[in-house]
Amino acid sequence: MTSRAAGDTAWVLEPVLEVPHVVAAALLTRDGLVTGYTDALSQPSAERVAAITSTVQGACRTAAAAFADTDQAEIRQVVIESDHGYVLIVPTDHGTCVAAYGDPEVRLDLLAHRVHSQVARLGEKAMAAGPRGADGGTPA
């Protein structure tokens, strides 16, 4: 399985798919746009996952802030358990997130470790890319 979308995101998602019982994964922006997704998802499904993931993250940030009695809170991960399996959502520090879905047999600890590892690699790659120019583009 490979990721499908503009750009090369396979290096992020393919290691997540190597965890036994992981069915699908997607790379998304924090505001709900699809950057990449695995073959188990169609484009409409990936776009729906992105929109829902964005909403879930926003709701979780709001809930965490409310419980902490503060104005805002960042989340480290969101885990959704259902009778069909698990959804794991892990945001990055630079505005993207990785969402993965495993069937009921997936080992959640292995899935979380792999997704967090890939998120860390995304952060390293973003830091290595260097600063952007004042116009938002890359420096000449």
Side-chain angles (χ1 to χ4, degrees):
M1 292 183 170
T2 59
S3 63
R4 298 181 288 177
D8 180 21
T9 59
W11 70 270
V12 177
L13 299 178
E14 286 181 358
V16 175
L17 290 176
E18 293 172 0
V19 175
H21 302 286
V22 170
V23 177
L27 181 62
L28 320 158
T29 65
R30 186 175 185 167
D31 57 352
L33 300 175
V34 179
T35 305
Y37 55 97
T38 58
D39 287 339
L41 296 170
S42 65
Q43 173 128 9
S45 293
E47 289 171 357
R48 190 172 66 216
V49 164
I52 293 167
T53 298
S54 177
T55 302
V56 166
Q57 286 185 91
C60 290
R61 282 191 302 275
T62 302
F67 274 107
D69 197 23
T70 186
D71 291 337
Q72 66 182 27
E74 290 302 318
I75 55 173
R76 293 190 183 109
Q77 70 179 13
V78 176
V79 178
I80 301 169
E81 180 179 3
S82 76
D83 55 342
H84 297 286
Y86 296 90
V87 176
L88 178 68
I89 304 165
V90 179
T92 68
D93 291 335
H94 57 278
T96 61
C97 78
V98 175
Y101 170 71
D103 71 24
E105 300 299 316
V106 73
R107 285 206 29 209
L108 192 54
D109 59 335
L110 294 178
L111 176 58
H113 177 74
R114 183 65 53 90
V115 171
H116 280 276
S117 295
Q118 292 306 102
V119 164
R121 289 185 64 205
L122 271 170
E124 291 168 3
K125 190 167 185 166
M127 296 281 287
R132 296 192 174 266
D135 65 353
T138 54

